Amino acid sequence: MKSDHDSFCILKIFIISLYLLLLPLHLYASKLDIYGYFQPQLTGTSSNDDFYQFSSNKLRIDFKCEYSKSVTFGANYNFIQYSGKTQWNMLEYIPTTISNAVPAAQTESYDILYEDDIILDNAYIKLSFKYADITMGKQQISLGTGYAWNPTDVFNYKDLLDPAYEQPGHNAYRIDFPINNKYSVLLIYSPENTSENSGKLISIKGKLGHFDYAFIGIEKEFLFTDYFTFDDTTQKRKILGGDFVGEFLGLGVWGEYAYNLIKDTDDFYESVTGIDYTFIGGTYIMCEYYRNTGGKDDYKKYDLNDWLQFITAQTKTISRDQIYASLTHPMTDLITAGTSVITSLNDGSLSLIPSFTYSLFENVDLSVFLNFNLGKKGTNYDRTLGDGGTARLQVYF
Amino acid sequence: MANKIIFPLLLLSLVNFPIIKTYAETLTSQEIVNKMNDVINPQTAQAKAKITIITSSGKERTFIYDSFTKDRGEKNLIRYLEPKRAKGQAMLMLNNADDIWAYFPRTKRVRKLATHAKRQNWEGSDFSYEDMGSGDAFIDEYKNKLLGEEKKENYNCYKIELEKKKDSDAGYSRLIMWIIKDNFFPVAMNYYARKDPQFLKKVLIQYEIKDIDGVPTGMKMTMYNKTDNTQTSMELLEIKYNLDLDDSIFSERNLKK
């Protein structure tokens, strides 16, 4: 945890930043919109016969100011405070067949510490011209049509317990060119220390019948940690892919594909195919198949790096082929219950995620997610990895 | 995929064309339904509406949204203003809602939805999209029959039965409509369960039908859910007709604004 002095400094910097941020906006007070939410969250997890609790309080404050029809400023700060078990050892959450190989003296190196934080999550300005929208600054970027996985989204890593949760902002320059009602072009430049290792993206989007589709080309560097030596390396990838979404025989269908070309290493591809349907009465089902040839097809080949790079969101998967299936039903006008299942087709393991959402009051939602791992030892969803649950309240203002 | 779906054509039943002159008493049921269909599908409209949901436990939920409609409901855009948790969510529907895109500001994501998403209730309300007869649904999905004339909500009305066509995917087995004789406005409607034509599921009543700028307009309406004992009311806060709405309003670019 940070010392009181550190916390005070952060608070001081924040207040000054906030003042500087709000000063020009104050001039446009009549057009300034301030909103956000408060989100207390409690997580419990069982591991090796122990039960731990971890809670967080997140306050998100959004600012949006429309100077004119052509100029929009948006930003948000996240204040996050953690309590309970804030220090975790990643080795406790991987199969013992792998973690036991780490010398006892080194286990502390695998600790993760959750520290209170104040983050300028987004801060961008959007300029709208007749033939283009230009967005500059830290901004959310959402790519692809998949629900649980997005092969073409090189900016974000989704949490499979809650794939629809908001993603953080990324520093980028974005230009959207709407060519006509059918076609548009998207350009993104995500600056790093040199132009060579900066992220570049071009996407051409179109419509065909009742389908939307896009072709995409990306160049981006990815950071990987070798968890045997703790050396960081970067890997530059060129990615070619595309996506589609539409309707076929009354079913919603979507797909996404990305071929990753990597210098000096084997290429691999990711693909997603999904379908969904809503029954009369509101029951909703969806199913998505994900293939990542960078993953392994035999769980006996999973190693320390596979596990820890996955846990730290440096890779999207451990096993090669997975299915995400979900069913939700509106139990009453305010309560929705559902269950999701994630299964690895390679090792036969699965994770069960029952969920429940309740609109407690106007602008107050309660969500509960449970998580049960049911796979055999050493597999992607090894039952010894522990079970858990999260209760989350969101109060919007 | 989105769980929270919004359905703009709720507005359309509140929006009408200029009063239609009184017709001879000899209209067929098909002619009456056609004229009613014209009434609930204006050329263009822009409105702000408020939805109030009374749940089975007596709780109240309120939504306010802006709505834009063009080409007799062929193009629709709706954007939430309240409640805070839904603010900025928007939905674009083109080709009489055969193409639907939803925008979620929390994730900055635009998602194309399949048409089955119309079966989801609107933010827990008692309305679903198809309740309001999107586009020409009352003509295309149902065959009609004139049951007679009846007084309803103090209006002299045609009483029309709409029965689901065999090949239709409509969510109800039949509907009973009371259509005001003077202006062909549907003042009331009964919805019967898809699998049981005798089981009354919902009742819609429209109130405060006013003539605004020469246009008869239902300023309020309530859907009573007979199964769940809940109700949803809708009120028009602002309404404008026959505006010159640019096609760019009904675009994915505008959806994200």
Side-chain angles (χ1 to χ4, degrees):
Chain A
M1 301 289 284
K2 284 184 164 53
S3 67
D4 288 347
H5 176 73
D6 289 342
S7 299
F8 178 74
C9 285
I10 288 174
L11 186 64
K12 204 161 66 174
I13 291 166
F14 168 72
I15 290 169
I16 293 168
S17 304
L18 190 63
Y19 178 76
L20 291 173
L21 183 72
L22 291 179
L23 186 63
L25 298 180
H26 182 72
L27 300 173
Y28 295 87
S30 61
K31 294 176 182 175
L32 175 64
D33 199 5
I34 300 176
Y35 55 97
Y37 62 79
F38 171 59
Q39 177 190 288
Q41 178 172 297
L42 176 65
T43 297
T45 180
S46 65
S47 175
N48 302 324
D49 298 326
D50 293 318
F51 183 80
Y52 299 113
Q53 285 190 163
F54 170 61
S55 66
S56 63
N57 293 302
K58 176 180 174 183
L59 175 65
R60 175 177 169 133
I61 300 179
D62 284 84
F63 311 93
K64 192 171 182 185
C65 183
E66 289 190 23
Y67 294 88
S68 68
K69 282 187 175 178
S70 303
V71 183
T72 304
F73 170 79
N76 80 278
Y77 271 100
N78 289 342
F79 305 75
I80 307 174
Q81 180 257 324
Y82 297 102
S83 58
K85 184 174 168 57
T86 55
Q87 186 168 335
W88 299 75
N89 190 288
M90 291 188 283
L91 297 178
E92 292 179 28
Y93 297 92
I94 66 175
T96 51
T97 48
I98 292 167
S99 61
N100 284 345
V102 176
Q106 289 181 17
T107 56
E108 280 187 14
S109 306
Y110 298 90
D111 280 351
I112 293 178
L113 189 64
Y114 285 87
E115 296 179 298
D116 298 354
D117 212 350
I118 299 169
I119 306 165
L120 178 63
D121 183 30
N122 286 278
Y124 62 87
I125 191 153
K126 183 175 180 179
L127 307 175
S128 297
F129 300 96
K130 187 174 181 183
Y131 297 108
D133 291 327
I134 301 174
T135 311
M136 295 175 283
K138 208 172 176 202
Q139 57 193 287
Q140 283 175 305
I141 299 170
S142 296
L143 300 165
T145 54
Y147 177 75
W149 295 278
N150 291 109
T152 61
D153 189 347
V154 293
F155 294 97
N156 303 298
Y157 290 86
K158 286 181 170 176
D159 178 359
L160 291 178
L161 293 181
D162 187 10
Y165 193 73
E166 71 197 26
Q167 296 288 354
H170 304 277
N171 191 30
Y173 298 88
R174 172 183 178 134
I175 307 177
D176 291 88
F177 294 104
I179 297 169
N180 54 34
N181 283 340
K182 279 194 171 178
Y183 300 101
S184 62
V185 175
L186 165 67
L187 301 173
I188 294 176
Y189 181 75
S190 177
E192 297 294 342
N193 54 343
T194 67
S195 62
E196 277 197 351
N197 60 9
S198 296
K200 300 147 196 119
L201 180 149
I202 180 168
S203 171
I204 300 165
K205 196 172 178 182
K207 293 179 171 58
L208 183 65
H210 295 303
F211 278 81
D212 284 3
Y213 63 87
F215 296 106
I216 195 164
I218 304 166
E219 184 177 273
K220 192 175 187 302
E221 273 196 353
F222 293 82
L223 179 73
F224 292 97
T225 303
D226 184 325
Y227 282 98
F228 292 106
T229 62
F230 288 93
D231 289 333
D232 287 338
T233 55
T234 55
Q235 186 184 79
K236 194 168 186 174
R237 295 184 192 166
K238 288 183 168 66
I239 299 169
L240 293 172
D243 62 53
F244 71 89
V245 58
E247 185 169 339
F248 184 67
L249 298 175
L251 298 170
V253 293
W254 62 91
E256 201 174 332
Y257 178 85
Y259 190 85
N260 289 249
L261 296 110
I262 311 164
K263 196 177 179 183
D264 302 327
T265 316
D266 290 342
D267 298 346
F268 72 95
Y269 73 85
E270 295 175 72
S271 67
V272 154
T273 314
I275 57 170
D276 71 352
Y277 190 71
T278 306
F279 294 92
I280 290 168
T283 303
Y284 172 75
I285 56 167
M286 67 86 71
C287 185
E288 197 168 88
Y289 166 62
Y290 175 61
R291 182 173 175 82
N292 183 332
T293 57
K296 292 181 176 170
D297 58 3
D298 181 354
Y299 75 95
K300 289 170 187 162
K301 295 179 187 169
Y302 301 162
D303 63 21
L304 185 71
N305 273 334
D306 293 329
W307 278 101
L308 297 187
Q309 287 174 356
F310 174 65
I311 288 174
T312 54
Q314 293 181 349
T315 58
K316 291 178 186 171
T317 186
I318 303 174
S319 64
R320 181 166 291 188
D321 300 283
Q322 293 192 73
I323 285 180
Y324 181 100
S326 171
L327 180 150
T328 58
H329 178 73
M331 307 297 288
T332 71
D333 33 19
L334 299 175
I335 297 173
T336 300
T339 299
S340 301
V341 177
I342 313 165
T343 182
S344 164
L345 300 178
N346 307 113
D347 61 29
S349 64
L350 69 85
S351 182
L352 191 65
I353 309 164
S355 63
F356 160 92
T357 58
Y358 178 32
S359 173
L360 274 172
F361 303 99
E362 189 93 70
N363 292 313
V364 181
D365 290 343
L366 172 68
S367 306
V368 177
F369 305 90
L370 302 176
N371 179 210
F372 303 102
N373 292 309
L374 303 170
K376 63 186 175 188
K377 202 165 187 176
T379 57
N380 203 150
Y381 302 105
D382 181 339
R383 66 166 60 92
T384 63
L385 299 180
D387 302 322
T390 296
R392 176 191 296 158
L393 201 67
Q394 285 189 300
V395 184
Y396 297 91
F397 57 86
Chain B
M1 192 67 89
N3 288 326
K4 308 291 173 66
I5 304 301
I6 46 181
F7 302 108
L9 289 194
L10 301 174
L11 173 68
L12 298 184
S13 67
L14 303 172
V15 174
N16 310 281
F17 263 174
I19 293 174
I20 296 161
K21 291 174 185 173
T22 304
Y23 286 81
E25 299 290 327
T26 55
L27 291 172
T28 65
S29 64
Q30 187 62 55
E31 288 169 331
I32 295 166
V33 172
N34 288 347
K35 290 180 188 302
M36 179 274 299
N37 196 56
D38 286 341
V39 165
I40 64 170
N41 286 302
Q43 192 62 31
T44 61
Q46 180 180 341
K48 180 186 281 189
K50 179 181 176 184
I51 301 278
T52 305
I53 301 167
I54 308 293
T55 70
S56 50
S57 54
K59 291 184 177 178
E60 191 173 298
R61 296 286 185 274
T62 303
F63 302 90
I64 296 178
Y65 63 89
D66 276 336
S67 172
F68 303 84
T69 304
K70 189 175 182 181
D71 296 343
R72 301 182 70 251
E74 188 268 331
K75 297 183 176 78
N76 288 281
L77 179 83
I78 188 167
R79 183 173 281 119
Y80 274 109
L81 305 174
E82 291 182 26
K84 295 287 187 185
R85 68 178 170 81
K87 186 175 180 178
Q89 282 183 24
M91 182 164 283
L92 172 66
M93 296 193 235
L94 301 179
N95 303 318
N96 291 315
D98 280 344
D99 292 300
I100 308 171
W101 293 266
Y103 173 64
F104 303 94
R106 297 262 173 227
T107 55
K108 296 279 188 290
R109 182 174 283 269
V110 173
R111 176 73 200 230
K112 189 173 194 304
L113 306 180
T115 51
H116 59 70
K118 290 187 285 188
R119 291 178 177 151
Q120 295 173 8
N121 281 356
W122 178 25
E123 287 283 355
S125 81
D126 295 303
F127 290 101
S128 68
Y129 179 88
E130 61 182 345
D131 286 348
M132 303 315 301
S134 59
D136 296 329
F138 290 140
I139 294 173
D140 296 339
E141 306 289 338
Y142 298 90
K143 54 186 180 180
N144 53 64
K145 186 169 134 187
L146 179 61
L147 299 180
E149 295 179 11
E150 205 171 272
K151 197 138 186 160
K152 189 77 171 176
E153 300 295 317
N154 291 324
Y155 293 99
N156 293 318
C157 296
Y158 296 111
K159 187 178 180 183
I160 300 277
E161 182 185 60
L162 300 181
E163 187 182 344
K164 185 170 80 74
K165 290 179 180 174
K166 278 185 181 172
D167 57 349
S168 164
D169 197 31
Y172 300 97
S173 59
R174 68 185 183 116
L175 310 170
I176 302 285
M177 278 185 175
W178 285 264
I179 298 170
I180 297 174
K181 290 177 71 176
D182 288 343
N183 57 13
F184 296 94
F185 186 84
V187 68
M189 212 179 310
N190 288 356
Y191 301 80
Y192 293 84
R194 182 182 167 93
K195 290 182 178 173
D196 182 357
Q198 302 308 313
F199 182 71
L200 178 62
K201 281 191 78 175
K202 298 176 184 177
V203 172
L204 175 73
I205 306 288
Q206 307 221 41
Y207 305 99
E208 295 186 26
I209 299 162
K210 290 183 179 175
D211 190 324
I212 296 177
D213 298 331
V215 179
T217 304
M219 299 303 291
K220 291 182 180 176
M221 64 191 296
T222 302
M223 180 72 91
Y224 301 91
N225 189 320
K226 298 296 184 182
T227 310
D228 301 335
N229 198 29
T230 57
Q231 69 181 61
T232 301
S233 299
M234 191 171 350
E235 180 183 1
L236 274 183
L237 304 176
E238 296 169 15
I239 178 76
K240 294 173 185 170
Y241 298 100
N242 301 322
L243 302 164
D244 184 18
L245 298 179
D246 194 274
D247 276 347
S248 64
I249 291 172
F250 305 94
S251 65
E252 196 173 319
R253 184 187 189 189
N254 188 50
L255 187 67
K256 291 189 274 190
K257 282 189 175 173

